[in-house]
Amino acid sequence: MLLCVGNFFGATSEAEWAEYRTGAKKAPIPTYVLGANDQETVSYFPDVSGCELAENITYLGRRGLYSGTSGLQIAYLSGTESQDEPAPPYSFSAKDVGELKTSLLSTPNFKGVDILLTSPWPRGVGAFANSAGEIDTKKCGSRLVSDLAASLKPRYHFAALEKAYYERLPYRNHTVLQETPQHVSRFIALADVGNTNKKKYLYAFSITPMSLMDPAELVKQPQDVTENPYRKPWKEAQKTKTPLFAEEEPACQFFFDLKKHQGKKRPSDGKEAGNSQPKQAKKPPQPTGPCWFCLASPEVEKHLVVSIGMHCYLALAKGGLLPDHVLILPIGHYQSVVDLSSEVMEEVNKYKSALKDFFRSKGKRYVLFERNYRSQHLQLQVIPVPLDLCSPEDIKESFIVQAQEQQIELVEIPEHSDITQVVQPGTPYFYVELDTGEKLFHRIRSRFPLHFGRWVFS
């Protein structure tokens, strides 16, 4: 079959189209097209619900789902985005997108669609991905299409209208270590047919319907998979240079938390001099809902686990900043380092010591982050950097400069102090520790950008 996105008629003359309409010419294979994108071509589409325009040429309709006999599912949305309600006949509105989402998402065991066809690009599709060339993906495209793509999770999403070819790197549809792995999505934009710059306007591929695939094969993640571009409104933050806050985005894979102190252990009875914090119960509290980091959870991606101790485990960070980006996590359910019992803290320090020795043997030093904010389970993320690339002072300066830009007060904790001495359990905070023992701390009082640590390294 041939699927057409963008302006199907374009500059087609009435005489040329009449040959197809009368049967003088025939499309060689079943051809499915989207509707009008402007007032001039509305007259070519007599039925908004879809109809046959000519032999082998079918107008899919304003919006809906086409199901092939093989089980292939193709969702489609015709027209350009409109803020008016009702939208003009060549546009769609938030109501159209909402109704399409509702009709599909209400389907039992809905996992996504095989293909999504739209004329406009989704706004922000280029986030975390390869360049789209001269097209500014932060400004072009439709926000409603972005919302639709985020909800329908198409394996392939095709669009046009920007007159450019762009094949985005595949992006994931789940949050790593928090949600069950899902299939990836691929966005492909096509240029105009026969364009003078010879930009690609045809994309040929074969696809097995999702319903016929082995689940394990379906959710395989390619090496070049990226974060989901629609999970956060990064666009406005980039425009205004204001920080991106957690209230504006769901939790994402990069939790940049890693660890905390290498100082003295927390006492078992909470009475050791210099530590006024009472020790938490030895038995870790139980999560209030599903937790994707508790090692006992069936959803943990255990193939990433490197080492398991008595109280903690070490895992590779799927889609990490670097191939040797790792996480230290407690086996039981603890929210932050401040909540850890002395036994767990002791094992955390053993892992940190081992990682320090390992990375130093490779000519690297590590940086640890912990973000105790909008996170349910403690994750200590360890990022190695080459020794000859930056000194501890360079790393600290990078964090401090980024903090100043985001109006975040990041202070250095005295060398012999412990984070448990400066913050109470349950208090939100962001914490950095170098393998030299130097520490930076921010007490979160209102909102905080979830990807602050990632920005420092970018």
Side-chain angles (χ1 to χ4, degrees), residues 23-51:
K25 287 186 178 180
K26 175 184 174 182
I29 59 174
T31 302
Y32 299 87
V33 309
L34 295 180
N37 291 305
D38 52 53
Q39 184 62 51
E40 288 71 26
T41 55
V42 168
S43 60
Y44 287 105
F45 305 94
D47 188 343
V48 295
S49 62
C51 60

Side-chain angles (χ1 to χ4, degrees), residues 264-267 270-278 420-421:
K264 58 190 173 183
K265 295 189 301 180
R266 301 185 67 191
K271 297 179 181 179
E272 180 175 314
N275 184 358
S276 60
Q277 303 296 335
T420 59
Q421 295 174 308

